[in-house]
């Protein structure tokens, strides 16, 4: 899940009723937000938006789904093993305590032990900053799930596409401003200070802002954070490539793809050194480029890429120049 968060178009939409509570699934919430956006109901749009990503996570995190299934089978030890995994990844730290799906556990002695462990974990963190970053993450990922759903199901509605892109840009700007202040005031906070989810959100907000100046400013700070174990190497790889792409240059690690080229289909942004890209990716903790591009339904063949390099570079250059003119 970690690397998929920053590769927006690798999300899959699953219609799953989460356990015994038949709440709206993520697709239904997305449809509702699109209706609010069309009707210019901004407050309603923003309220529902914040529920999309946590609902999506519950649908797609195996530990969450397994814990509910095992609870129904009264396999309590295995339920707690899955809940422990969620807790150690910092998912739903507050929500687990009030989740209706787990209410039947509350009168058990083992629940008291689990609850104490969860509360102790929460007490390790700066929860004011963590909750702010969690809110930013839900907004950041929610709008991207909406946009992907819209592009898949209603691509002909270009007016709505424009509205969604405008909303995403607004969210990205607001998120980046909040995250910049946190980093400027406190440095790049590590997982041991704010938890895994919040730590990843520091990276996401900088990665997603459409501002190379801001990204370039924070790249060396991220690099230092990686050295200090306060950030992950793959985050540095993604941000490095995003900056290079936004400057119209070739990327280093192969993390950036163009998937919306109507004329040519998806392709990887031109590479500095295609022969060494998998070695470079491995150093950053990333899977091979072939495995990564499979998530985008883009076939990777090194020799074919080298044969087509001139064409790919022209496509990318034309796209870059077009985007620059339209800014």
């Amino acid at each position: 899940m970690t690397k998929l968060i920053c590769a927006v178009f690798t999300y899959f939409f699953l219609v799953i009723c989460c356990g015994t509570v038949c709440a709206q699934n993520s697709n239904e919430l997305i449809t509702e937000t699109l209706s609010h956006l069309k009707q210019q109901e901004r407050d309603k749009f923003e309220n529902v938006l914040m529920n999309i990503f946590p609902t999506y996570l519950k649908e797609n995190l195996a530990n969450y789904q397994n814990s509910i299934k095992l609870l129904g089978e009264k396999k309590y030890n295995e339920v707690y093993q899955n809940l422990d995994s969620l807790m150690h990844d910092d998912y739903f730290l507050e929500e687990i305590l009030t989740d209706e799906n787990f209410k039947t556990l509350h009168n058990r002695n083992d629940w008291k032990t689990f609850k104490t462990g969860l509360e102790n974990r929460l007490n390790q963190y700066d929860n004011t900053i963590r909750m702010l970053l969690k809110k930013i993450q839900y907004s950041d990922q929610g709008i991207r799930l909406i946009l992907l759903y819209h592009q898949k199901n209603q691509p002909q509605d270009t007016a709505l596409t424009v509205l969604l892109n405008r909303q995403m840009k607004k969210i990205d700007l607001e998120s980046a401003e909040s995250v910049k202040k946190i980093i400027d005031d406190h440095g790049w906070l590590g997982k041991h200070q704010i938890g895994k989810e919040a730590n990843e959100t520091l990276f996401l907000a900088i990665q997603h802002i459409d501002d190379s100046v801001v990204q370039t400013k924070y790249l060396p700070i991220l690099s230092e954070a990686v050295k200090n174990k306060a950030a992950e190497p793959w985050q540095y790889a993604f941000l490095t490539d995003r900056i290079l792409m936004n400057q119209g240059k070739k990327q280093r690690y192969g993390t950036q793809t163009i998937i919306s080229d109507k004329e040519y289909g998806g392709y990887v942004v031109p590479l500095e050194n295609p022969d060494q890209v998998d070695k470079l990716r491995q150093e950053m903790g990333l899977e091979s480029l072939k495995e990564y591009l499979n998530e985008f339904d883009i076939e990777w063949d090194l020799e074919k890429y080298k044969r087509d390099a001139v064409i790919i570079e022209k496509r990318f250059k034309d796209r870059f120049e077009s985007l620059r003119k339209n800014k």
Side-chain angles (χ1 to χ4, degrees), residues 26-221:
S26 57
N27 283 347
E28 291 169 340
L29 290 169
I30 288 169
T31 301
E32 185 178 342
T33 58
L34 289 171
S35 174
H36 292 320
L37 188 62
K38 287 178 181 178
Q39 296 174 45
Q40 299 183 345
E41 297 170 332
R42 182 168 300 278
D43 289 344
K44 291 181 180 179
F45 171 85
E46 291 178 353
N47 286 337
V48 181
L49 169 68
M50 298 305 293
N51 292 320
I52 291 172
F53 187 58
T55 301
Y56 171 84
L57 282 178
K58 289 178 180 180
E59 291 168 352
N60 289 280
L61 285 173
N63 289 128
Y64 184 86
Q65 290 292 319
N66 289 342
S67 63
I68 295 171
K69 177 177 177 292
L70 292 163
L71 182 58
E73 298 169 0
K74 298 185 177 180
K75 296 179 179 177
Y76 298 113
N77 287 339
E78 293 175 60
V79 170
Y80 285 113
Q81 287 172 11
N82 281 275
L83 289 178
D84 281 338
S85 294
L86 287 173
M87 180 176 70
H88 287 298
D89 283 335
D90 294 309
Y91 287 119
F92 310 124
L93 295 185
E94 288 82 13
E95 292 91 332
I96 286 174
L97 295 175
T98 57
D99 194 317
E100 291 288 330
N101 286 306
F102 306 124
K103 244 186 171 178
T104 56
L105 292 172
H106 289 191
N107 294 324
R108 295 176 55 88
N109 287 330
D110 48 18
W111 174 258
K112 295 173 185 174
T113 303
F114 172 80
K115 182 181 177 184
T116 299
L118 194 155
E119 289 171 344
N120 287 340
R121 190 174 186 86
L122 280 170
N123 289 335
Q124 297 172 18
Y125 299 144
D126 183 324
N127 287 298
T128 301
I129 293 176
R130 187 179 67 83
M131 293 302 290
L132 171 59
L133 287 167
K134 189 172 178 178
K135 183 178 178 182
I136 288 170
Q137 186 198 50
Y138 285 3
S139 182
D140 175 287
Q141 296 297 289
I143 191 63
R144 283 167 168 79
L145 286 170
I146 296 170
L147 187 58
L148 177 57
Y149 179 92
H150 170 67
Q151 289 173 339
K152 181 180 178 181
N153 294 283
Q154 300 172 309
Q156 71 281 359
D157 191 342
T158 54
L160 187 53
T161 302
V162 170
L163 276 177
L164 283 169
N165 277 304
R166 190 178 298 152
Q167 189 67 33
M168 184 169 70
K169 188 168 184 177
K170 176 178 177 288
I171 288 171
D172 288 348
L173 285 169
E174 291 172 350
S175 298
E177 285 303 312
S178 297
V179 165
K180 281 161 55 182
K181 184 170 186 346
I182 290 170
I183 297 172
D184 291 345
D185 289 349
H186 303 280
W188 201 287
L189 296 169
K191 289 185 285 188
H192 66 289
Q193 296 167 295
I194 54 174
K196 182 180 177 183
E197 268 193 305
N199 171 259
E200 286 175 354
T201 303
L202 294 175
F203 156 73
L204 278 178
I206 301 300
Q207 175 79 356
H208 286 161
I209 188 173
D210 186 18
D211 188 332
S212 289
V213 174
V214 171
Q215 290 173 332
T216 302
K217 173 186 173 182
Y218 288 96
L219 183 65
I221 299 173

Side-chain angles (χ1 to χ4, degrees), residues 1-18:
M1 183 66 68
T2 298
K3 296 186 190 84
L4 293 184
I5 286 177
C6 59
V8 174
F9 294 99
T10 64
Y11 286 121
F12 296 93
F13 286 88
L14 304 177
V15 180
I16 300 173
C17 186
C18 292

